[in-house]
Every structure is written in C-alpha cells, then in structure tokens.
Amino acid sequence: MNEMDRLAPPVAGAQRLHRHRSASATPSFRGWSAGVASGERVRPVVAWVTIVLIYRQTFAAPIRAFLPFLWYVPDVLMAGALLAIAGAGLRDKVVPVLVSVGALALLVAYSLLSNSGYAVALAVRGLGYMLLAFFAGLGLRRGDRLLPVALVAAAGISIAGVYYDALFSVPWAGLTFEGVGGTAEAARQWSADGSRRLSGLGIASTDTSVIIAAGTLVLLGLTQNRLRAPSTLFCAAALHALLLTTQKATAGWLITTVLVGYVSPLVAFRRAGFHAAALLRPLGVLGLGASMLVPPVFAGFDFSAALRVNAATLDQRMVEVWPRVLPHLFDVPQLLLGFGLGGIGPTGARPDLVMIDNMFLYTALTLGLPAALALFALAARALLATPLRDGTDFAALALVTLLALNGITANIVVAGAVGSIFLGYAVGALLRSLRRTRSRRHFGAAAPAAATG
C-alpha cells in the first residue's frame, strides 16, 4: 500500500456494493468513458489532438502572423477526435451518449434564438476544447508521460518567448490580431502607444500565463512532488516570466499553490510527497467559493484607495465591471437559463457584458444561476472526495486549485482556448483515479463470482 492508498478514505460495505452494482450495469456512461479512455485507437488520437491544440496556442502569434491558413486546422482535428469519442460510445449503444448530444443540441438551439451564429460557434468550439482535454486527462494511465511532458515543454517554450519578447522586439510587435473575417471585436493589439500589451508567443496573455503555470505544476508532479534543483529553477523562471507578462495575478496564485502543495510538506511534515493534499483540497474549494462571493461582496470597493497601492485592473473589476454585471444574474429568464452560449464575451451582442473577468459570473450568465451552482458544487465535491494515487493525480489537484483561484478575477473558461483546455485536462486527470478505483473494485468483486460459477 503506497502513501496515497493510506490517504484514501475507507468505503463502507454498502457503498462498495452499490458501486459494484452500478459499475456492472451495461451499457453505462462510466463504462463508455472508461472504454474511450483506455481504447488503444481513440486514446492516442485524443492525446495528440490535445497536444496540437495546446501548441497552436503556444505559438499563436507567429502562426497568426505568418501562417494564418494553419490556424483552424487544429479545430478540424478536434472535431474529428470528438466524433471518434462519440463513435466509440455509440458502438456499444450507450444511451448517455445520445442524451449528452441531445442536451448539447438543445443548448445550442436556445443560444441561437438570441445570439449570432458566429458567437455560438466560438463558444461551442471552446466547449469542444474542454471536452476533448477532459478525455485526454481521463485516458492517462500510470507511467504515461507523453501528454505531461508535452505540457511541460510548452511551458518552457512560453517562458523562453516571454524572455525574448522582454529583451528584444518580436517580428509581429506592431500587428493587431483580429478574429475570422476581420472582426474587430476580437482584435488583440500587441502594443499600443509604445507600451507592450501582450508578451511571449501567444496572442492572449492569459493563455501564456496559464500555459506557464500549468506546465510548472505538471513538472512538479513528474518529479514526484519533490522540489529538486531543476524543478526549483524551473519554478523560479516561471514565476519571473509571469511577472513580466500582463497577467501578474497568475504569478501570485502559482506561488500560493506551490507553497501549499510542494513547500509545506517540507516544512510541516519534514518530508516530500503527497501530504499536502489535505491543504490543497480546501484551498481549491476556497477558490471556488471566492469566485462566487468576491464579486457581490467587493463590488464597488476601491481597492487602490483603501490599501494605497496601484491596482488599476482590480479597481476596474470592482468599481466598473462587477456592479454592472451582477444585476443581470437575477433577470428572468436569464436567472434560470442564462444568455446561452455566445451570449456574452467579445463577440456577444451585449456590449455591457463584454468583460466579465470572473469564472462563476461567466458560467452563471451563460447557463443560468442554478446550473452554475450545481457545477461548482460538483467541482467542490470532486476536489474533496477524489482519491490521489500518484504524481499525476496530485498535479491535477494542484492545477484545478490554481485555476479555481485564478477564476476569482479572470474568466479562464473562455480566455483564449488554453483555460478551457487545461480545465478539462485537470478535471479529467483528477477523475481518472476515481475511475481506476471503481474498476478495480468491480473486478475484485467479480472475480470470486466467476470462480464460484
């Protein structure tokens, strides 16, 4: 029994019997997801397409500047991979696959009633990123290193890009990157009035910061959660690069996560490993709770004046954005159904809801308040209850915690594509240990029956 087996809570006999019965039911969503995750044909495809999507965002600026015809190729690959996942489930005639597709179709139909087709398409694409990355994380098996190493390499490339951009002038420094068809609503300027607005190799500073922070946490998982000299140097370079970007808040959340998840065991427990799970779990739940509570509690609060610091971005959220956004939460029918996919954001039809900068507010305004509360409650339950058995599981817990904290003042769900990808990957990787535990219980309970039969 390893360290994480000892940390896993005991399961009562009745719960074990209930889970065995539910796991033995066929067809089932659990069996479908496990089959897709372990399938030797679908699993590598899902992993490689996820890597392609991440590296498309890693090198977003040079691709958009010099090879724009390649920009949407990964989206075509993503659609094919999602069809392969659905096909793997439909071959077993799994009803939940049809239910899930039907629910998505209804959501898209409701969204198209009041939102433009282009905006809905962009939102569906972001949802596709999240679903694909979820199955990529769910399909990770013990010893798999391809996807984690690719995430670390992307972080290293992004760090090098930030340093190069800070020291020299990138060839695309004067460009303005626009959406498809020249949509000015989605335009991103690399620089304005002589000051740099973006940094690194991506066209969204949030993308670059999430790639760096996530890759750093994955590296710590690959090194068995021990702060060795190479991982310590990587952490230092990552934090310094984040401070050079326009997303300095991510550096603070990365520092918090690393201190709680990787430094505290050395100080409090005098040993490395997974002991800080007891601290990371409530920290992630705290991030989810703060994402819900901070906007209404601090709306209108002048942060800079109260603390005598210069925090213009925080003041913008608290004084300008959140007081304007919060009343829409209680409008009917938006209270129950939300504005739908594509209803808010840079390409949405509501100019007063362009900048949300909060994960919970965006989810609630998109899907409705009841759905947002349910999703956040499920996320909190997963953070508190999912067993951890290796460095990959622990890195996923740390990554979900980081994204939950970052979601307080950033809409990481639709910020570029990286937020959606890493959120899906982290949740999938976190839940893979639960899938593995349930499958082992199922086979362990089925073996005596087979022997006696």
Side-chain angles (χ1 to χ4, degrees):
M1 182 180 294
N2 56 27
E3 287 183 355
M4 295 316 298
D5 287 328
R6 290 195 297 269
L7 285 176
V11 179
Q15 289 179 314
R16 187 180 296 113
L17 179 61
H18 172 72
R19 288 177 178 174
H20 163 56
R21 288 175 177 171
S22 60
S24 62
T26 55
S28 67
F29 179 79
R30 186 179 304 154
W32 170 59
S33 62
V36 171
S38 61
E40 289 305 319
R41 293 182 178 179
V42 177
R43 191 175 64 88
V45 171
V46 172
W48 275 108
V49 175
T50 303
I51 291 173
V52 170
L53 288 172
I54 291 173
Y55 275 83
R56 190 269 302 271
Q57 299 303 129
T58 302
F59 293 99
I63 291 175
R64 292 288 289 270
F66 306 116
L67 300 169
F69 59 91
L70 292 178
W71 182 251
Y72 293 103
V73 173
D75 295 332
V76 177
L77 298 177
M78 176 203 68
L82 290 176
L83 288 176
I85 292 174
L90 290 174
R91 281 197 299 268
D92 295 328
K93 299 179 180 179
V94 181
V95 174
V97 180
L98 300 176
V99 174
S100 301
V101 173
L104 178 60
L106 288 176
L107 178 60
V108 172
Y110 169 73
S111 303
L112 288 173
L113 292 177
S114 55
N115 305 320
S116 69
Y118 173 64
V120 174
L122 289 182
V124 171
R125 183 181 68 164
L127 182 60
Y129 292 155
M130 190 178 300
L131 290 174
L132 183 69
F134 169 79
F135 278 103
L138 187 70
L140 287 176
R141 296 185 298 187
R142 189 179 297 275
D144 284 354
R145 299 178 66 87
L146 173 64
L147 186 53
V149 170
L151 301 183
V152 175
I157 292 170
S158 297
I159 292 172
V162 170
Y163 279 128
Y164 185 89
D165 191 23
L167 296 174
F168 308 100
S169 177
V170 292
W172 50 86
L175 295 181
T176 298
F177 300 97
E178 296 181 341
V180 63
T183 52
E185 303 96 319
R188 297 179 184 274
Q189 291 180 299
W190 194 264
S191 59
D193 300 328
S195 62
R196 180 169 49 85
R197 297 186 60 198
L198 304 176
S199 58
L201 302 175
I203 58 173
S205 54
T206 306
D207 284 3
T208 301
S209 65
V210 171
I211 289 173
I212 293 174
T216 303
L217 296 178
V218 173
L219 173 65
L220 294 175
L222 289 173
T223 55
Q224 299 302 312
N225 296 13
R226 290 177 173 84
L227 282 174
R228 304 181 187 277
S231 58
T232 302
L233 291 175
F234 195 97
C235 280
L239 290 172
H240 186 235
L242 290 176
L243 291 174
L244 293 175
T245 69
T246 58
Q247 298 292 325
K248 296 179 175 59
T250 307
W253 297 128
L254 180 60
I255 291 173
T256 302
T257 306
V258 171
L259 287 176
V260 171
Y262 301 95
V263 177
S264 61
L266 303 176
V267 177
F269 304 105
R270 298 183 181 179
R271 59 190 300 186
F274 305 100
H275 295 274
L279 302 176
L280 268 180
R281 292 183 190 274
L283 181 63
V285 175
L286 178 64
L288 294 174
S291 183
M292 293 187 286
L293 297 177
V294 165
V297 172
F298 289 95
F301 181 75
D302 194 338
F303 190 87
S304 296
L307 300 182
R308 297 182 180 180
V309 296
N310 183 13
T313 56
L314 282 178
D315 291 338
Q316 183 185 30
R317 294 179 179 93
M318 296 179 181
V319 178
E320 300 177 16
V321 177
W322 292 343
R324 185 177 66 248
V325 169
L326 286 171
H328 291 286
L329 279 178
F330 305 100
D331 291 341
V332 179
Q334 283 75 27
L335 170 66
L336 300 176
L337 301 175
F339 288 97
L341 298 174
I344 55 178
T347 59
R350 300 296 302 265
D352 54 337
L353 298 178
V354 171
M355 280 187 59
I356 298 298
D357 279 339
N358 178 271
M359 184 167 58
F360 178 78
L361 287 179
Y362 173 82
T363 305
L365 289 171
T366 300
L367 303 177
L369 190 57
L373 291 173
L375 289 173
F376 271 62
L378 289 174
R381 184 179 182 277
L383 281 171
L384 294 175
T386 305
L388 306 178
R389 299 185 181 278
D390 56 24
T392 301
D393 294 338
F394 192 88
L397 173 62
L399 184 51
V400 172
T401 299
L402 171 74
L403 294 175
L405 292 170
N406 204 31
I408 300 173
T409 55
N411 181 15
I412 56 95
V413 178
V414 292
V418 173
S420 300
I421 293 173
F422 276 103
L423 186 62
Y425 165 79
V427 173
L430 188 64
L431 294 180
R432 78 186 183 99
S433 58
L434 188 61
R435 175 180 60 81
R436 184 170 61 245
T437 300
R438 286 174 173 172
S439 63
R440 286 177 178 175
R441 287 170 181 162
H442 168 56
F443 289 125
T452 57

